[in-house]
Amino acid sequence: MKERFLAVLGLVVLSVVRVFAGAAVDYEVAGISFQGYIENAGAHAPMVLLIHDWDGLTDYEVKRAGMLRELGYSVFAIDLYGKGVRPTEIADRKKCMLMLMDDRPKMRAFIKGALEFVESQGLSADNCVVMGYCFGGTAALEFARAGGAVKGFATFHGGLACPDGQDYSEAKGEYIIMHGTADAGIGMDQFAALAIDLESAGRPHRMITYGGAPHAWTVFGGTGYREKQDYESWSHFIQFLEDVLK
């Protein structure tokens, strides 16, 4: 599996050719226009709903979606910011992210609406895992606490803190939480607290930390990228999908 991962990774990093046959797609939630990205592996293929980082839906999520399609999964990379909103400056990314972090009902509604849209397109929303990177991981757990009716939830270096007044009593599905032990912004105290919350709620979970992995260790070309931990976490994620989805 590692050889296959590295072969795909080589294409991703170099971006020499486009090897995946996905497509951008427009949709609406509550009268707001969004643009997501679909990789369709067929009507009966298990599905992954992929939530982007704080910079919006970019080539990074598109590349990850293609990697999953190569393994037989349909993928819908959703858009939480709105069509054409892809912030590049740090201040703008923070502004977009905080607009949703400060309005959790809206965040939940946008995810639910995206799931309903992709179901209307014939993908298997009832045989689905919701996953996200960084801010996307935070959003995935928000949807979990809202009782999102999917098979599982997965986070890569996502925010783990549970907001005041929330818990996992309504949560469904299974969980895999992948965290960098060297993450300076999201401490191991949050990791441990989430494990306790999931255990208390009786939710099946896998909690994995990767030594030497800082925040955003999976982001190709980023200063925090760590190839070894990227490969290991991707392998753990794929095993989770194989175990949870039909």
Side-chain angles (χ1 to χ4, degrees):
M1 181 177 177
K2 185 172 184 180
E3 289 75 13
R4 186 175 185 180
F5 172 82
L6 292 175
V8 174
L9 179 59
L11 290 172
V12 168
V13 173
L14 293 174
S15 300
V16 174
V17 294
R18 180 169 181 168
V19 296
F20 306 120
V25 59
D26 293 346
Y27 66 102
E28 286 192 3
V29 179
I32 301 173
S33 297
F34 297 91
Q35 186 173 73
Y37 179 84
I38 286 182
E39 288 277 1
N40 192 341
H44 301 294
M47 194 185 84
V48 176
L49 193 79
L50 193 162
I51 309 178
H52 58 74
D53 195 356
W54 71 337
D55 53 351
L57 176 55
T58 67
D59 286 346
Y60 177 75
E61 288 80 19
V62 168
K63 290 164 185 173
R64 289 291 184 181
M67 292 170 71
L68 287 167
R69 172 63 181 82
E70 283 265 298
L71 298 173
Y73 297 96
S74 290
V75 184
F76 186 38
I78 73 172
D79 173 14
L80 288 183
Y81 289 169
K83 184 176 180 180
V85 181
R86 304 293 185 262
T88 57
E89 300 298 324
I90 297 297
D92 293 332
R93 292 175 179 178
K94 287 182 179 179
K95 180 180 178 180
C96 288
M97 180 179 70
L98 289 175
M99 286 177 65
L100 292 175
M101 295 289 282
D102 292 340
D103 191 343
R104 300 297 179 119
K106 180 180 288 187
M107 184 193 299
R108 294 177 175 196
F110 287 174
I111 300 171
K112 184 174 184 290
L115 190 62
E116 291 172 349
F117 167 76
V118 79
E119 186 174 25
S120 75
Q121 303 304 298
L123 274 68
S124 300
D126 61 340
N127 189 28
C128 172
V129 161
V130 175
M131 62 87 76
Y133 292 93
C134 298
F135 164 68
T138 304
L141 292 180
E142 183 68 30
F143 191 55
R145 291 188 295 271
V150 297
K151 296 288 183 65
F153 298 86
T155 73
F156 290 84
H157 41 81
L160 306 179
C162 187
D164 291 341
Q166 291 193 27
D167 58 36
Y168 285 85
S169 60
E170 300 298 321
K172 300 177 176 65
E174 301 187 29
Y175 296 76
I176 182 168
I177 308 299
M178 293 164 285
H179 183 64
T181 314
D183 191 325
I186 304 170
M188 291 299 293
D189 55 337
Q190 293 186 32
F191 180 84
L194 177 56
I196 293 169
D197 286 347
L198 291 173
E199 185 68 22
S200 297
R203 301 318 318 154
H205 58 279
R206 309 173 196 187
M207 307 285 296
I208 308 172
T209 60
Y210 303 93
H215 191 67
W217 79 84
T218 70
V219 179
F220 310 124
T223 58
Y225 183 72
R226 299 292 185 273
E227 181 180 298
K228 179 177 183 293
Q229 290 88 338
D230 181 25
Y231 165 71
E232 290 174 346
S233 58
W234 186 256
S235 299
H236 289 143
F237 175 54
I238 297 305
Q239 184 63 58
F240 177 76
L241 294 180
E242 292 175 355
D243 292 344
V244 170
L245 299 178
K246 297 176 183 178

